[in-house]
Amino acid sequence: MKLLLTALWLSGCSVQDVPKRAERVPVVSQVEDTVRLEFPSDRYPETAQHIREAIGAGHSAACTIDRDGAEQNRELSLKGIPTKKGKDRDEWPMAMRAEGGEGADIKYISPKDNRGAGSLMDQMIITILQVFYRSF
């Protein structure tokens, strides 16, 4: 299954499972004012599960990109959360989102899953911005 993140011009997103595709490449497509991302939960299952759990627990599903605030958000969200050997502290909402920061949901997951998912999200955001700017 893939975890579907639907971003509304970088101002909001929803999450749902969609059937697994034969290809293992993230899909980014634009329909009217919606940018649709398919996050491959089969490739990054721990991150996908954390996203589902955090949103299910009431954390924001909005995706407002705020790269300038990422460092401060990360500091606030991880404050008081100890590191664990062999684990990364995954945040939802992500630090690079305006909704991130203090009160974010933190879960210990494998570094490979967390960093791979983070790298993929960066690539998808670059694609979103390219789609967005081509529309003007």
Side-chain angles (χ1 to χ4, degrees):
M1 297 294 277
K2 292 183 183 279
L3 185 65
L4 175 67
L5 302 175
T6 303
L8 303 175
W9 288 121
L10 308 181
S11 65
C13 69
S14 62
V15 180
Q16 59 184 320
D17 285 317
V18 295
K20 184 177 179 180
R21 293 174 175 240
E23 73 275 5
R24 298 183 50 90
V25 178
V27 175
V28 179
S29 60
Q30 181 178 358
V31 178
E32 295 181 19
D33 64 348
T34 300
V35 177
R36 176 181 164 171
L37 305 175
E38 290 183 18
F39 182 84
S41 59
D42 57 332
R43 285 174 53 194
Y44 306 107
E46 292 177 70
T47 300
Q49 184 61 33
H50 183 213
I51 292 169
R52 284 187 201 98
E53 290 170 357
I55 292 173
H59 285 274
S60 177
C63 297
T64 309
I65 306 303
D66 178 19
R67 288 194 179 272
D68 292 338
E71 189 175 321
Q72 181 179 7
N73 281 349
R74 184 167 289 108
E75 185 178 313
L76 290 170
S77 66
L78 298 178
K79 185 178 182 177
I81 308 293
T83 59
K84 286 188 178 181
K85 188 175 181 175
K87 295 289 184 183
D88 275 3
R89 296 169 294 174
D90 186 41
E91 309 152 76
W92 187 270
M94 297 174 284
M96 66 167 195
R97 294 175 35 198
E99 300 79 18
E102 188 173 2
D105 189 83
I106 309 299
K107 184 173 184 175
Y108 295 101
I109 66 173
S110 75
K112 182 178 179 181
D113 194 286
N114 188 39
R115 294 171 196 180
S119 177
L120 178 64
M121 290 299 290
D122 283 345
Q123 292 170 16
M124 289 194 288
I125 289 166
I126 289 167
T127 303
I128 288 171
L129 293 175
Q130 290 170 343
V131 169
F132 178 77
Y133 285 113
R134 274 196 303 253
S135 68
F136 286 98

